[in-house]
Amino acid sequence: MKREWHSLWDKHRTLVVLLFILSIIAGSSRFLRGAIVGLPPAASVYFESGADPRACTSTGTVFANLKTLRETTDLFRKRISGVVGEREDFLKAPSSWPCVPGTEGGIGSLAGLAKEMPGWYYRPAIGDPKMLPVTFASFNSVVAEFVREYECKLSEFSQTADSMVAINRDVDNPNSFCCDEETNTCKQITQVLACATTPSDDSMCAEECPTENVQEVFTTRLTAFYARIESEKQRARLAVLRTFHTLRSLELNYAYAKSLVCFQRASLDLRNELGLLADTISCMPKIWDAVTSLHDPDDSLRPE
């Protein structure tokens, strides 16, 4: 029996050792996985309020208190235009490029935008939530996170579209309803030739005149409101995607041009320093002559 085991061991020694090593690796990996599984992932950290910063909600964002679609789109375009304009101006102005290691330029508005986004924070194991670093290379990530928050706000509008239409928040201009002088029915001002009553926000025109086909008008406005929301989503994505493609060429050029610009600055500084050194050296004989003329007078001029 022992001879059989010895013969098997001699024949399959390599295989047995390999299986033993694999069993050790499998056991250790299972142990490590069991130890790590209890740690929360980065996307699931929570703020003091208990809200997930990556949840699709406008809570805590710059869009939180906005009530209409027009206000939301105007704010989005203003903030996006600010960070894109800052980056474009920076990439077009080599004189503003920093050459000191560890310094970043053209990220002032970008850092300000990231500071207002809950999704740009994380919560360490101990302590308060901390902000992720914002660098020159963080532009695409910050803008993409801002677009995500914008789309979440638009999704909230979609979920509450019927109630928004009911209180006329789908109408951009206030005082948009009045009694049509011709038909004596309550309509939007864009659909009437002349108003018989004072324009107001009340879609019932304060019951000063009857309404006509209220359900039909409500359904039409609701459908149009849904279409506007989806159009804004598509427009935002397309605009941001084209912006990324447009700035990509400038960013690639910046990576190489910055080195050349900084090398040029360093060479100019070196030339100026050498010029100052040359001027100083040229003045040394004159300074030395002034010193020796006072302390070492010519003996031929000394009286006998």
Side-chain angles (χ1 to χ4, degrees), residues 176-238:
S176 299
F177 297 90
C178 69
C179 294
D180 185 8
E181 191 176 69
E182 182 179 356
T183 61
N184 194 31
T185 55
C186 185
K187 295 182 179 180
Q188 282 187 275
I189 294 178
T190 56
Q191 300 173 347
V192 301
L193 297 177
C195 289
T197 58
T198 303
S200 67
D201 295 335
D202 187 0
S203 60
M204 307 295 290
C205 295
E207 299 183 354
E208 295 181 1
C209 57
T211 57
E212 184 179 26
N213 298 327
V214 176
Q215 186 65 32
E216 180 181 351
V217 173
F218 181 84
T219 305
T220 303
R221 288 172 51 192
L222 184 61
T223 303
F225 190 50
Y226 279 129
R228 285 181 56 197
I229 294 174
E230 292 302 320
S231 177
E232 287 298 332
K233 284 185 179 180
Q234 297 298 327
R235 183 181 292 113
R237 292 181 184 180
L238 183 60

Side-chain angles (χ1 to χ4, degrees), residues 20-194:
F20 179 73
I21 295 175
L22 291 175
S23 63
I24 294 176
I25 295 175
S28 61
S29 62
R30 181 175 299 178
F31 172 77
L32 291 175
R33 186 168 62 251
I36 296 174
V37 73
L39 298 178
S44 300
V45 295
Y46 291 87
F47 290 124
E48 295 297 332
S49 62
D52 187 351
R54 292 291 300 174
C56 192
T57 176
S58 63
T59 303
T61 68
V62 295
F63 306 110
N65 299 322
L66 301 182
K67 304 298 183 182
T68 64
L69 181 60
R70 173 59 63 86
E71 292 177 339
T72 305
T73 55
D74 288 346
L75 179 61
F76 172 76
R77 293 170 185 175
K78 178 181 178 181
R79 300 303 296 271
I80 283 291
S81 298
V83 295
V84 172
E86 175 190 57
R87 194 172 187 83
E88 185 178 4
D89 294 339
F90 176 77
L91 292 174
K92 290 181 178 180
S95 59
S96 63
W97 296 352
C99 293
V100 180
T103 58
E104 296 279 357
I107 60 172
S109 298
L110 189 69
L113 181 63
K115 189 176 181 180
E116 298 178 294
M117 297 191 302
W120 204 254
Y121 287 80
Y122 71 98
R123 186 169 186 174
I126 301 176
D128 298 329
K130 297 184 180 298
M131 181 178 175
L132 294 171
V134 179
T135 63
F136 185 82
S138 303
F139 176 79
N140 289 7
S141 300
V142 173
V143 172
E145 175 64 19
F146 189 61
V147 173
R148 187 190 71 85
E149 292 183 356
Y150 175 63
E151 291 182 350
C152 289
K153 181 64 175 181
L154 296 182
S155 297
E156 291 180 0
F157 284 154
S158 296
Q159 297 171 3
T160 59
D162 52 350
S163 60
M164 293 182 65
V165 172
I167 58 177
N168 299 323
R169 283 186 179 171
D170 63 312
V171 181
D172 294 329
N173 300 322
N175 301 328
S176 299
F177 297 90
C178 69
C179 294
D180 185 8
E181 191 176 69
E182 182 179 356
T183 61
N184 194 31
T185 55
C186 185
K187 295 182 179 180
Q188 282 187 275
I189 294 178
T190 56
Q191 300 173 347
V192 301
L193 297 177

